[in-house]
Amino acid sequence: MCAAHPGAVAVTQPRRVAVTSTATRVAQELNVPLGGDVGYQVRYDKKVGEEPRIKFMTDGILLREIQSDLLLRKYSVVIVDEAHERSVNTDILLGLLSRVVPLRAELAGEGTGITPLRLVVMSATLRVEEFVGNKRLCPTPPALLKVAARQFPVTIHFARRTEHLDYLGAAKKKVLAIHRKLPPGGILVFLTGQREVDGLVRKLSEGEFGPRDPTKADDKKADDEETEERELDPHDVDALDAGGEDLGVDEDERDLQDFEGKDDFDEMSDHDDSASDISEDEEDVVVHGGEGVTPEEAAKAEDEWIRAHAPTVEAGGGGNGNNDGDGKDPTEKDDGPGPMHVLPLYAMLPPHRQARVFDPPPPGHRLVVIATNVAETSLTIPGVRYVVDAGREKRRVFGDDATGGGGGGAASAGLSRFTVGWVSKASAEQRAGRAGRTGPGHCYRLFSSAHFVNDLDPHAPPAILGVPVDGVFLQMRAMGIDRIDRFPFITPPNAASLATAQRTLAILGALRATPSAGGSGRRMTHGHGGSFGDDRDPGELTDVGRAMAALPISPRHARMLLAAARSTAPGCLAAAVASAAALSLQSPFLGEESERSLPADMSEEERKRRRKLAHKFHHHNSDALSAAKALVAYDKVRDHRKQETFCDEHRLHSRTMREMSDLRRQLLRILTTPPPSVAGAAASKDSFLPRHAINAIAEATAAINRKVRGPDDLNSDKTYQDPASVALEPGSPGDVALRRALLRGWADRVAKRAKADEAARLNAAADKDEDGGDGGGGRTKATRYRPAMLDLAVFLHPTSTLHRTSPDYVVYVDLLQTAKRPYLAGATAVEASWLVDDAPPLAYLS
């Protein structure tokens, strides 16, 4: 700091792990304690001094600060790092800062005591023209500074031809060729999803270079049996389309077990690659890492690095490092390369299994990590010198992009699907860079240079173009930005996305029509399906909308929570808080494949007991509330180590459960002390919390914190029973109120069970779609439902708890279009009589 520029330096990162790690590193470099002059703030965690000089935070935290102080008076410099990732928060933040910077400069020139604000945007692969050439965002082109990166040279090898179908087999073949032919060094393979990762890990481990431990054979056999009986969580949309696979329970569903008609792994032979050569299918070679580095210079640098760091043993000598001198024992048989230490890495892998990739491999083993794009930018795996890039990634697309039909209501109805597509050039470069972090490396791309140049996009599309923008729309309206279409976006969202967001918020009650010009009153708040009757009317924010914007969760979860606050049913609000926290994150249920990490000597009785525990939290009336039941039970476990054991026994993702618990506590704190943006509306009938809800929050907070509230119990050891567990019991008054609150939050996502004549019509449409390859359902005995916003046959997932009852009406969280048919995710049974009061925008009375 200095007198001319008082204020701290704010540094934003898109991910929490980057915030904490960079803050720790900077504090060490400056030799100051973390939490003093250098601090950080992320969701659920904060370590900042009274007057920090440098504060690291996620871009979402800085957005929250802008809501309370548009000018950001306590900062003199804002640094936005990793801007190339183009998250929604980053785009909104840069748009706001593009107006704050000139406003601060203007106020500084008027002598108001406010100093100018400096903005620095940093990125390794940023599309510079989007900033420098964007007159709306930057009327005056900003200064551009390029800094050479510090990275070892990486030699990139392109395939002679692009493998369009069996890229999994090509990846396996390339890994085995590298292991046979090349010097020591870890191998990192990029695939698209959990199922592909687990499949390749299994095949490599079972092959001739698998771990040389006879006890592993029984483990692998058990893993295969577990994979066959694997169950999916009907709430988790990621699990519902794990690698494109759907698991069924009857004859009509069993065809879903195959991905695109075949399993590439089953057709591979572990001995097909005996004659493969590492360069036989290569075409062009390009060297990255440093200006003007030639292939010869890269090879020289690699030789020097190997002499300085690599073991003295050749790759073909077993890799155990026990040879003396340059020669081998003539009596010792050369049995080829040593075994491989093969590990998976993906987001939903339990943390203790993720951490294994950072540990040194067993002596004599080569580390092989099979990963999704989680390893692309977030972390550096020690010892990796070889990258095998399949060039694909799995994306989730929403609305009309998720199906060939469905009409304009597909986005509002929650329709989405997972697709596998090519990565961008920028992502491919990021993946290649993983091989040059600790020494000279190689990247083997399973596609040709012509395909790279002609068919890969330069950059991935910004997130704001591919996701629903309901939350963005609400936050911007809460900041007083009424005409969102005029906001200086780096890349503006589609007009249809903005219209869908406005319609959704109107249905939820966050927006209402603006007063008519003559002042004679207001038009309908929601009209037919959220329409104001005038497409030019942006609407105005309601008290409910301001309360929803104050909560750090999506608008739907916030609406459910506020609806539960109006209910006096025992435990309803406490259960709604737990449900909002649980539904805001990925499903924590791991499924049968989590048994792979269990000890091989565990008894069959213990395994059966754990399988039974994994189904303990299923809710008979709702798939969506199962995770909330698990969260309430998790919070009853006090000791951290016991919580880990609890997650292992119940097949729960421990990190996800911990984040759910943190979010639950954060929501309770916010509801206990409403933020200033909504405190003034507390007296309104439809605003924040009535008095009985405040008492309910106090009781829930006391229970979760193991404390006793009230003057008569201050010295007592008594603790409250968690009131949320009461409302999560099926059939209780709290359960009914909670399901009605869910209906409030997802009022436009109601599906009705199809009658016989309608089912026949949907059957015909489904058969027609199936002939065209667009899974509409086909011939099946499964019960069909029709969403209110779509003329489409949808289905309960085979593992849904609602199959026993097949209720007439359900409200669902998401609608996932798989390769075969669309499935309801997070389905909850509701009554027809509730629709008039809790889903009025879609209820038509006759």
Side-chain angles (χ1 to χ4, degrees), residues 367-656:
L367 176 65
V368 179
V369 178
I370 315 298
T372 62
N373 56 6
V374 70
E376 189 173 302
T377 59
S378 302
L379 47 85
T380 297
I381 301 173
V384 168
R385 295 191 55 233
Y386 306 102
V387 167
V388 178
D389 184 11
R392 277 84 165 178
E393 65 179 351
K394 182 175 288 188
R395 306 185 187 99
R396 187 180 180 187
V397 296
F398 294 84
D400 294 335
D401 292 334
T403 180
S412 181
L415 185 64
S416 65
R417 78 180 303 164
F418 288 92
T419 62
V420 174
W422 292 101
V423 299
S424 65
K425 291 186 176 72
S427 293
E429 300 302 332
Q430 288 278 359
R431 293 181 175 188
R434 300 294 101 186
R437 295 295 181 176
T438 57
H442 295 263
C443 174
Y444 295 90
R445 290 175 175 167
L446 305 182
F447 47 90
S448 67
S449 59
H451 185 81
F452 175 82
V453 172
N454 299 325
D455 297 332
L456 268 63
D457 294 330
H459 296 266
I464 200 167
L465 294 181
V467 300
V469 294
D470 309 352
V472 172
F473 198 106
L474 180 60
Q475 293 297 331
M476 296 178 72
R477 292 302 304 268
M479 287 187 285
I481 304 173
D482 294 335
R483 298 309 300 260
I484 306 220
D485 55 331
R486 299 177 182 176
F487 184 78
F489 290 103
I490 302 175
T491 304
N494 299 323
S497 298
L498 293 177
T500 298
Q502 177 173 305
R503 183 169 60 250
T504 298
L505 293 176
I507 290 174
L508 298 181
L511 293 175
R512 62 177 168 227
T514 52
S516 60
S520 58
R522 303 183 187 276
R523 293 185 292 272
M524 293 183 64
T525 301
H526 46 74
H528 296 290
S531 172
F532 292 147
D534 184 355
D535 294 339
R536 296 171 298 177
D537 183 6
E540 66 178 15
L541 202 63
T542 64
D543 290 341
V544 170
R546 276 186 284 273
M548 290 165 58
L551 298 173
I553 49 181
S554 79
R556 294 186 183 277
H557 300 96
R559 187 65 186 96
M560 174 196 67
L561 200 154
L562 295 177
R566 315 308 306 178
S567 172
T568 58
C572 178
L573 180 55
V577 172
S579 301
L583 293 174
S584 295
L585 284 90
Q586 284 186 318
S587 171
F589 299 106
L590 293 176
E592 299 288 341
E593 66 272 17
S594 61
E595 284 194 17
R596 295 180 181 179
S597 59
L598 296 179
D601 57 354
M602 178 175 289
S603 66
E604 184 60 28
E605 290 75 13
E606 177 64 15
R607 291 178 182 272
K608 288 181 179 179
R609 186 184 72 87
R610 294 199 174 197
R611 291 190 190 107
K612 186 176 181 180
L613 287 175
H615 300 279
K616 177 180 178 180
F617 304 117
H618 285 186
H619 193 289
H620 299 311
N621 293 327
S622 173
D623 297 328
L625 298 179
S626 297
K629 291 187 67 176
L631 175 58
V632 171
Y634 174 86
D635 279 335
K636 292 180 180 178
V637 182
R638 305 181 67 172
D639 183 76
H640 175 68
R641 287 173 294 184
K642 291 182 179 179
Q643 287 179 335
E644 293 290 335
T645 302
F646 175 88
C647 292
D648 288 340
E649 290 186 343
H650 293 85
R651 293 178 184 165
L652 298 170
H653 193 276
S654 59
R655 185 175 63 186
T656 301

Side-chain angles (χ1 to χ4, degrees), residues 228-376:
E228 291 176 2
E229 64 182 19
R230 184 181 308 170
E231 293 184 359
L232 300 179
D233 170 27
H235 163 62
D236 185 8
V237 293
D238 295 319
L240 287 178
D241 194 59
E245 180 184 43
D246 304 301
L247 304 183
V249 295
D250 55 31
E251 290 296 330
D252 296 299
E253 296 290 336
R254 286 176 185 164
D255 62 335
L256 300 182
Q257 295 183 14
D258 294 332
F259 179 43
E260 294 186 354
K262 66 177 182 177
D263 188 342
D264 296 321
F265 294 116
D266 293 338
E267 297 183 358
M268 295 181 200
S269 169
D270 292 333
H271 305 287
D272 289 343
D273 311 296
S274 57
S276 64
D277 185 84
I278 190 62
S279 60
E280 64 181 4
D281 293 325
E282 290 174 16
E283 182 189 42
D284 296 336
V285 175
V286 181
V287 178
H288 285 196
E291 296 293 336
V293 178
T294 65
E296 292 76 15
E297 292 170 337
K300 181 179 179 181
E302 182 176 5
D303 291 339
E304 293 175 352
W305 187 92
I306 292 175
R307 286 194 296 270
H309 299 89
T312 57
V313 61
E314 292 293 333
N320 54 21
N322 294 328
N323 290 358
D324 295 326
D326 296 333
K328 296 181 181 180
D329 187 345
T331 64
E332 181 180 351
K333 181 180 179 181
D334 185 0
D335 57 354
M340 297 184 295
H341 183 55
V342 188
L343 298 174
L345 181 62
Y346 44 81
M348 287 304 293
L349 197 67
H352 69 278
R353 295 187 64 190
Q354 289 182 349
R356 292 172 61 191
V357 303
F358 301 104
D359 298 332
H365 289 61
R366 186 197 291 268
L367 176 65
V368 179
V369 178
I370 315 298
T372 62
N373 56 6
V374 70
E376 189 173 302

Side-chain angles (χ1 to χ4, degrees), residues 19 43 112 182 206 319 460 500 515 542 553 608 618 631 636 672 697 742 776:
V19 171
R43 198 174 194 179
T112 59
L182 296 185
E206 291 173 346
T500 298
T542 64
I553 49 181
K608 288 181 179 179
H618 285 186
L631 175 58
K636 292 180 180 178
T672 301
I697 289 297
L742 272 169

Side-chain angles (χ1 to χ4, degrees), residues 33-72:
L34 184 64
D37 288 343
V38 178
Y40 70 84
Q41 181 178 354
V42 297
R43 198 174 194 179
Y44 323 126
D45 191 13
K46 180 179 181 181
K47 188 174 286 187
V48 183
E50 291 290 334
E51 294 183 357
R53 301 179 66 182
I54 304 175
K55 180 180 176 181
F56 293 85
M57 69 193 85
T58 56
D59 40 21
I61 295 294
L62 190 58
L63 273 177
R64 288 279 173 182
E65 293 191 11
I66 287 183
Q67 291 185 38
S68 57
D69 180 16
L70 179 63
L71 295 177
L72 295 174

Side-chain angles (χ1 to χ4, degrees), residues 684-707:
S684 174
K685 177 181 177 182
D686 295 321
S687 58
F688 215 52
L689 295 183
R691 185 172 301 277
H692 74 269
I694 295 175
N695 295 334
I697 289 297
E699 183 180 358
T701 303
I704 198 174
N705 293 328
R706 310 299 194 278
K707 295 179 181 179

